[in-house]
Amino acid sequence: SRLLDGLASRFGVTVLATFFALISATGILYVARSTDLLDDARRIIDGPSIRNGAISVSDLYRVTSIANLAAAQGEFDDELLRDFEVALDILFVRTDTLERIMQQNDVPEEGLQALSQLWEVIELADTALAGGVGEPVAFSRALDETAAGAHSHLIRYLEDKHNDQAAAFSGTAASLGEMSRRHSTFIALNLLVATTALCLLRREVVARRQRSAAEGRVAYLAYHDSLTGLHNRAWFTDRLEELFDRSEGVRQAGLGRRWSLVYLDLDEFKQINDLHGHQAGDAVLCRVSEVVRRISEEHGGFAARLAGDEFALLLPLSHHR
């Protein structure tokens, strides 16, 4: 209760509002950080280096396959020569693209070696094509040796990039797990603040209802008798003054109305309390008050308990009997 009273103060509300603002800002930062981690992982996973490196292996294999086929035939016929030139052009474009990608990032040694030997393969093939590839077997053997080194370095480069991807996955998963735990803490703190605010709100509502009920009770007791429910002396006196003021104005206008005041006092009421107890006396007073109230309501008058066993009735004179 003291804690809620403290929180309901101006200082407590300021503290709660500040705390809620801080944890809300922290939650926003957590969401932004999680988004950044996912973007970093996506860039690593979707990076073009692995895709182009893998395609380069395929393009390299196509070039060496055509050269091996020509060596098996003993010559490069027109169709094989055309296919070889197309495959070499594709490998050139792929190698150039891979080089531009590597220039934008920190490349491991295996990547640089693979790129260098790819250019050696292309240079060897261009030189052979310029001379007409007179010895297909020797050319195929030399091309295979150079391509084998490029292939080996490409595979190791791709393995390194794959390890980078795995590390990115693991790091992102660990970071997201930490973010998830922090989000759980953030949600718990929000629930705590919300619960505290609801408790304060409920406390205020209950307090308002209690104050309203107390004020209503005070207002009721100010003009009513607590035992019988009849109006008390204060209300009856105010009513008489109001009635007399109004009657005087009506009388001056020539439209007077006459009232009779009836005073009731229960004789020997004290003996009831002495012989039967105050509970029996209260029952008698309540019964008398019911009769008095009924008479006043039937004849359009007013009734009140003045004090103890004293009652008063104010009735229109035409109904007096």
Side-chain angles (χ1 to χ4, degrees):
S1 179
R2 288 193 295 271
L3 176 61
L4 290 178
D5 287 339
L7 291 175
S9 64
R10 179 176 298 179
F11 176 76
V13 171
T14 302
V15 171
L16 279 178
T18 304
F19 183 67
F20 181 76
L22 288 176
I23 61 177
S24 297
T26 303
I28 294 173
L29 291 177
Y30 287 160
V31 172
R33 177 56 180 161
S34 299
T35 303
D36 291 340
L37 289 172
L38 289 175
D39 289 339
D40 292 341
R42 181 184 56 80
R43 282 193 293 269
I44 294 174
I45 295 168
D46 296 339
S49 58
I50 293 181
R51 181 172 60 255
N52 282 274
I55 298 175
S56 296
V57 173
S58 176
D59 295 338
L60 183 63
Y61 175 76
R62 183 181 297 108
V63 169
T64 56
S65 296
I66 297 174
N68 290 334
L69 183 59
Q73 292 181 356
E75 65 174 349
F76 272 93
D77 57 22
D78 292 339
E79 182 179 356
L80 286 178
L81 188 61
R82 185 171 54 253
D83 291 343
F84 185 78
E85 290 176 349
V86 171
L88 187 62
D89 288 341
I90 294 175
L91 181 61
F92 174 84
V93 173
R94 189 68 58 191
T95 304
D96 182 67
T97 302
L98 188 61
E99 183 179 37
R100 284 188 280 106
I101 293 172
M102 288 183 177
Q103 289 174 352
Q104 299 174 3
N105 302 281
D106 294 332
V107 182
E109 184 63 26
E110 293 295 340
L112 296 176
Q113 290 291 335
L115 186 63
S116 175
Q117 292 197 336
L118 282 173
W119 284 120
E120 289 181 11
V121 170
I122 295 171
E123 184 179 359
L124 178 62
D126 283 339
T127 302
L129 287 175
V133 194
E135 295 291 336
V137 176
F139 169 69
S140 176
R141 187 179 299 113
L143 189 65
D144 283 342
E145 291 177 359
T146 307
H151 181 271
S152 176
H153 287 296
L154 273 174
I155 294 301
R156 285 195 290 270
Y157 169 70
L158 292 175
E159 288 177 351
D160 291 340
K161 299 302 292 184
H162 174 74
N163 292 334
D164 290 342
Q165 279 190 344
F169 270 120
S170 299
T172 302
S175 298
L176 288 178
E178 180 64 22
M179 291 296 105
S180 177
R181 288 188 290 273
R182 292 180 181 180
H183 276 298
S184 299
T185 304
F186 166 72
I187 292 173
L189 291 175
N190 270 327
L191 289 175
L192 177 62
V193 173
T195 302
T196 303
L198 287 176
C199 289
L200 292 175
L201 179 61
R202 183 181 182 279
R203 186 182 180 88
E204 179 62 22
V205 171
V206 171
R208 285 175 180 265
R209 289 178 178 175
Q210 291 176 345
R211 285 196 298 269
S212 178
E215 291 171 357
R217 182 64 178 169
V218 170
Y220 178 82
L221 293 178
Y223 291 102
H224 290 79
D225 177 58
S226 60
L227 175 63
T228 63
L230 287 177
H231 290 291
N232 57 16
R233 179 188 293 272
W235 182 90
F236 194 74
T237 302
D238 292 344
R239 188 63 178 167
L240 280 177
E241 292 177 355
E242 178 185 350
L243 184 62
F244 287 156
D245 292 341
R246 186 173 61 190
S247 297
E248 178 63 21
V250 172
R251 185 186 63 77
Q252 293 177 358
L255 300 172
R257 186 180 183 186
R258 304 178 65 187
W259 295 80
S260 61
L261 176 63
V262 181
Y263 173 80
L264 301 177
D265 179 43
L266 302 182
D267 293 336
E268 300 180 357
F269 176 73
K270 185 175 181 302
Q271 296 183 12
I272 297 177
N273 287 330
D274 295 339
L275 295 176
H276 303 284
H278 289 281
Q279 188 173 7
D282 291 344
V284 171
L285 291 176
C286 290
R287 178 58 182 163
V288 173
S289 68
E290 291 177 2
V291 175
V292 171
R293 179 186 293 108
R294 186 175 66 250
I295 294 174
S296 66
E297 290 176 352
E298 288 178 354
H299 301 292
F302 311 98
R305 181 188 177 194
L306 303 182
D309 59 353
E310 300 175 9
F311 296 86
L313 278 165
L314 188 64
L315 301 173
L317 188 59
S318 58
H319 295 292
H320 177 62
R321 57 185 180 181

